[in-house]
Amino acid sequence: QVQLVESGGGLVQAGDSLRLSCAASGRAFSRYAMGWFRQAPGKEREFVSAISRSGDTTYDANAVKGRFTISRDNAKNTVYLQMNNLKPEDTAVYYCGASLEIIPTRPVIAPPEYAYWGQGTQVTVSS
């Protein structure tokens, strides 16, 4: 079992940057593909970014391409989301997820494939 704890959210202005972190418990972190999702009030949870077990392959939603970067440090059991040039429409609760994955280079995009989720961290971007 994996427990995930997100941190790094906050209130920022449009154009600012934030870095979210997601710390995972357990010793098998490198067996999990990781992803970031977000959920705004009244909306469904949506995919943001994903990274493969190896860290070699990433995939970003069109809405964040060129602004957000996902990365991971398997030695620290942590996945990050660097968010630059934030926009008011990025306001949401951000969740990280872990998906047990056989293929080292495959990022996982679909929420049903994620077995574990963190509690979320709020990101609010003012205009």
Side-chain angles (χ1 to χ4, degrees):
Q1 190 167 355
V2 176
Q3 291 185 325
L4 305 173
V5 179
E6 301 98 333
S7 62
L11 172 62
V12 298
Q13 294 185 334
D16 286 350
S17 298
L18 277 176
R19 189 175 83 154
L20 305 183
S21 299
C22 174
S25 65
R27 295 177 291 178
F29 181 69
S30 61
R31 296 176 61 190
Y32 291 86
M34 301 296 294
W36 286 96
F37 293 75
R38 66 187 181 186
Q39 188 167 16
K43 295 187 177 181
E44 294 186 353
R45 188 171 299 190
E46 65 172 357
F47 168 76
V48 176
S49 294
I51 189 166
S52 62
R53 282 174 46 192
S54 64
D56 291 340
T57 308
T58 62
Y59 189 84
D60 301 315
N62 287 336
V64 305
K65 279 182 180 178
R67 299 189 298 122
F68 291 11
T69 303
I70 189 171
S71 62
R72 66 189 294 163
D73 186 336
N74 285 347
K76 295 183 178 180
N77 284 11
T78 303
V79 62
Y80 304 97
L81 186 67
Q82 178 66 43
M83 306 186 294
N84 297 329
N85 190 23
L86 282 160
K87 303 176 180 181
E89 51 264 42
D90 295 319
T91 295
V93 178
Y94 283 70
Y95 299 90
C96 71
S99 174
L100 191 61
E101 176 58 47
I102 294 175
I103 302 173
T105 57
R106 176 180 178 258
V108 177
I109 300 171
E113 294 192 61
Y114 283 82
Y116 303 103
W117 296 93
Q119 83 290 346
T121 185
Q122 176 70 46
V123 172
T124 303
V125 185
S126 63
S127 58

